[in-house]
Amino acid sequence: MSANLSAILYLISGVLFILALRGLSSPETSRRGNLFGIIGMVIAVTVTFLSVGNFTSGFIYVLIFLAIGGSIGAFIAYKIPMTAMPELVAGFHSLVGLAAVFVAISAFVNPQAFGLGIPGNIKLASLIEMAIGAAVGAITFSGSVIAFLKLQGVMSGAPITFKGQHLLNALILVSIIVLTFYLCSNQSANLFWILIIISFLIGFLIIIPIGGADMPVVISMLNSYSGWAAAGIGFTLENTALIITGALVGSSGAILSYIMCKGMNRSFFNVILGGFGATEQSGADNNKEQRPVKSGNADDAAFLMKNASSVIIVPGYGMAVAQAQHALREMVDTLKKNDIKVSYAIHPVAGRMPGHMNVLLAEANVPYDEVFELEEINSDFANADVAFVIGANDVTNPIAKTDPQSPIYGMPVLDVEKCKSVLFVKRSLSPGYAGIDNDLFYKENTLMLFADAKKMTEDITKNL
Amino acid sequence: MEIDPFIFRLSIFILSIFVGYYVVWSVTPSLHTPLMSVTNAISSVIIVGAIIAALSSNDEVIFSSSSIYGYLAIVLAAVNIFGGFLVTQRMLAMYKKKKKKDK
């Protein structure tokens, strides 16, 4: 196949990828968008086969390995529970990162195959691109592995910090740049390997100080990195599809990180430098006097809701942990039968990844037009009778609006306290991730329901 | 004077960043999780490089020092491509409008 034709076909697959993302602007068009993405991928792979044109026994192995990877991927995709989506995405990011590293290594070892020169004398520009692709890929890989372990619960979600952490990270980053520079001047394979190893190390070090609830930012950031790694390799291979895709994914991840940071009213650097909650607790501990709370049982909750005309449900990470989304939907069905208006309010950083709650509710067959974002629904709380907070905490804390001393001051929160009554499903009175008490617990109109989210929801349904 | 082809690729890159910027802002927040899984799938187009690497040794040696990395990368990228697109498909199939299941 001529180089020009394949370049045009790669461009087409790049455009199809743009359409795949474009489709996600609404659920109706999204399925068609995904199809565009698949077609784009098929085109890119086919064109590559045709342009390499090497249908020897190696080709058979390529198909075999493709099939192995494909079946593993398909198996995972069908088996994975929706609550495990953050882990899955983190795991997939790590694979893209590692694949980028492998491709870069291969290009470094055998540059002739890619038309980049000969070993020891690789074109300067290609070498820089290769080094960038490999370094960013390695950071994506080790960072995603840590994120995966934290989300999976294998590793504690608590931030891990030590003295001189930032200094060490800064030194490593500088040394990556220095190494890249030396690599370009002497093309030493050893330097290339060292570069990859310390990139693995820095990925690991960057993610360990970041706590569990900051995971939405981390996942988005790693998403962005995987894109930049792909783009770096795309430049090396002079492949348009890869360059376009890398740029799309890179900017997509960056935008998501921005949205997540804004949802917490924190700067990106503040999140990345980490250690949130571990260091800033001092203010909260001082006034630990016992304040009275009203606690109730499923019966009370059912009574309140039965007499309401509108209910707003505020789900959070706790709902995902308790797998309570199906029980919740059943409760809502019963409420609707009693002509009670029900809607859902989703905070941007609820859960462990962007859109986490929406997927869980969709899984439980909640129609997406009953689910609203913070800005859409916040003014409705004042007119609603009952707010049902299930597994959320910090995102409802009114202190973010009133106390400039609070670490979460300025964070956009759901105006749950404006509801006539608030039902708060929670295991105990323990503070949320930010390590601060939630004023909402002690309000006159709040009824605490101390129980597992799923069990409580089921009990309420029985009592309705 | 001739323009370096690198400049053309750089132009594509920069323009794609802008396209990505505007396209992603128009993605509805409720679909942010599928967005992440689909971007995951499409970034695995890196398999293109993996295939070139795997097929680079055209002689009898199928598993050379460079092609072995290609094969490894093919497996990783393939997991991602199939896993990413299928899980996105599975998620998107769940997003339904009202009235469909209302009794």
Side-chain angles (χ1 to χ4, degrees):
Chain A
M1 187 182 279
S2 86
N4 286 337
L5 181 57
S6 46
I8 288 170
L9 289 170
Y10 280 134
L11 183 64
I12 290 174
S13 77
V15 171
L16 285 168
F17 291 149
I18 296 174
L19 293 175
L21 298 193
R22 176 69 199 150
L24 290 171
S25 56
S26 96
E28 287 109 84
T29 54
S30 62
R31 282 167 280 249
R32 198 181 55 209
N34 199 38
L35 193 64
F36 282 139
I38 296 173
I39 297 171
M41 188 61 75
V42 171
I43 293 178
V45 171
T46 316
V47 170
T48 311
F49 281 140
L50 294 177
S51 58
V52 176
N54 179 1
F55 296 103
T56 54
S57 49
F59 179 68
I60 309 290
Y61 281 100
V62 169
L63 292 184
I64 292 173
F65 282 106
L66 198 62
I68 294 174
S71 17
I72 298 173
F75 179 78
I76 297 173
Y78 281 111
K79 283 284 168 206
I80 191 95
M82 283 299 145
T83 40
M85 211 42 80
E87 292 96 300
L88 179 78
V89 169
F92 277 174
H93 285 153
S94 74
L95 300 184
V96 180
L98 195 59
V101 174
F102 283 157
V103 174
I105 293 176
S106 182
F108 185 79
V109 176
N110 185 6
Q112 296 103 315
F114 298 87
L116 306 173
I118 52 165
N121 189 17
I122 299 171
K123 277 190 281 179
L124 182 65
S126 308
L127 199 60
I128 298 174
E129 292 151 6
M130 222 181 269
I132 294 174
V136 180
I139 294 172
T140 312
F141 172 73
S142 55
S144 301
V145 168
I146 301 299
F148 175 82
L149 293 177
K150 284 196 172 194
L151 288 164
Q152 187 82 319
V154 179
M155 205 173 145
S156 153
I160 299 169
T161 48
F162 54 87
K163 238 183 148 204
Q165 194 163 23
H166 301 323
L167 188 67
L168 179 67
N169 289 353
L171 278 176
I172 295 180
L173 283 176
V174 171
S175 67
I176 288 180
I177 297 167
V178 173
L179 274 175
T180 312
F181 182 76
Y182 277 110
L183 179 68
C184 293
S185 60
N186 67 8
Q187 308 241 352
S188 146
N190 287 338
L191 281 183
F192 188 69
W193 293 113
I194 295 173
L195 178 73
I196 290 175
I197 290 167
I198 61 168
S199 303
F200 279 128
L201 188 65
I202 186 78
F204 170 80
L205 287 171
I206 286 177
I207 307 302
I208 54 165
I210 304 179
D214 286 335
M215 279 302 152
V217 181
V218 171
I219 296 194
S220 319
M221 183 184 88
L222 292 166
N223 185 234
S224 180
Y225 285 2
S226 69
W228 304 129
I233 303 294
F235 275 103
T236 317
L237 306 183
E238 311 186 341
N239 182 305
T240 343
L242 210 40
I243 295 174
I244 295 178
T245 315
L248 288 179
V249 178
S251 53
S252 156
I255 291 172
L256 289 177
S257 325
Y258 170 78
I259 296 175
M260 293 301 116
C261 287
K262 220 178 72 178
M264 297 192 286
N265 188 39
R266 294 173 61 196
S267 75
F268 184 69
F269 287 103
N270 184 308
V271 175
I272 295 311
L273 295 178
F276 188 60
T279 48
E280 297 182 53
Q281 252 170 356
S282 53
D285 285 332
N286 301 337
N287 48 357
K288 261 231 165 111
E289 93 271 28
Q290 215 61 37
R291 285 197 277 173
V293 292
K294 279 198 289 182
S295 76
N297 55 26
D299 207 17
D300 306 330
F303 177 78
L304 264 173
M305 286 208 257
K306 228 186 297 180
N307 292 307
S309 60
S310 68
V311 173
I312 298 180
I313 293 172
V314 182
Y317 182 58
M319 181 186 83
V321 174
Q323 308 252 6
Q325 65 272 30
H326 298 281
L328 182 67
R329 217 273 335 283
E330 274 162 36
M331 185 187 90
V332 170
D333 282 350
T334 321
L335 288 175
K336 279 194 206 151
K337 258 184 248 160
N338 293 322
D339 283 323
I340 299 165
K341 186 175 165 284
V342 185
S343 36
Y344 299 79
I346 313 257
H347 191 275
V349 294
R352 286 293 184 263
M353 74 182 292
H356 191 183
M357 291 299 123
N358 303 80
V359 173
L360 293 182
L361 292 176
E363 188 203 9
N365 276 319
V366 173
Y368 61 82
D369 38 9
E370 286 174 10
V371 182
F372 299 95
E373 303 302 317
L374 180 124
E375 305 88 59
E376 293 173 315
I377 200 166
N378 228 1
S379 52
D380 295 357
F381 279 106
N383 306 320
D385 297 314
V386 176
F388 185 72
V389 182
I390 174 167
N393 186 2
D394 288 337
V395 299
T396 62
N397 197 343
I399 207 168
K401 289 176 283 191
T402 51
D403 181 8
Q405 301 301 315
S406 162
I408 61 168
Y409 181 71
M411 171 171 130
V413 288
L414 293 158
D415 296 335
V416 174
E417 79 281 0
K418 291 192 180 145
C419 260
K420 290 200 189 74
S421 46
V422 179
L423 295 169
F424 213 110
V425 186
K426 206 169 177 310
R427 279 160 177 275
S428 69
L429 267 185
S430 63
Y433 170 73
I436 40 168
D437 226 3
N438 192 341
D439 267 356
L440 203 55
F441 299 163
Y442 313 105
K443 288 257 167 152
E444 190 67 19
N445 55 357
T446 304
L447 189 65
M448 298 298 293
L449 307 167
F450 294 112
D452 173 73
K454 187 174 178 192
K455 185 152 182 314
M456 178 51 79
T457 317
E458 282 165 353
D459 287 348
I460 294 175
T461 316
K462 274 187 219 133
N463 281 303
L464 275 169
Chain B
M1 210 179 99
E2 215 177 320
I3 297 171
D4 190 325
F6 172 80
I7 303 300
F8 287 117
R9 286 190 281 276
L10 188 67
S11 324
I12 293 174
F13 180 64
I14 303 288
L15 290 175
S16 301
I17 292 179
F18 279 90
V19 171
Y21 180 84
Y22 289 107
V23 169
V24 172
W25 271 116
S26 75
V27 171
T28 157
S30 69
L31 291 177
H32 275 163
T33 299
L35 171 68
M36 301 202 82
S37 62
V38 85
T39 48
N40 224 314
I42 63 172
S43 56
S44 304
V45 74
I46 198 152
I47 198 169
V48 164
I51 293 172
I52 299 174
L55 294 178
S56 55
S57 43
N58 39 357
D59 339 74
E60 286 79 56
V61 201
I62 291 165
F63 296 102
S64 68
S65 59
S66 77
S67 73
I68 195 103
Y69 288 110
Y71 286 113
L72 287 174
I74 288 178
V75 176
L76 298 178
V79 172
N80 241 321
I81 292 173
F82 283 76
F85 279 124
L86 288 174
V87 87
T88 310
Q89 194 82 355
R90 202 180 129 201
M91 269 191 270
L92 294 176
M94 298 184 315
Y95 282 82
K96 294 191 190 83
K97 256 200 156 148
K98 227 189 276 196
K99 292 281 177 279
K100 194 142 187 210
K101 244 215 133 187
D102 268 8
K103 288 155 232 169

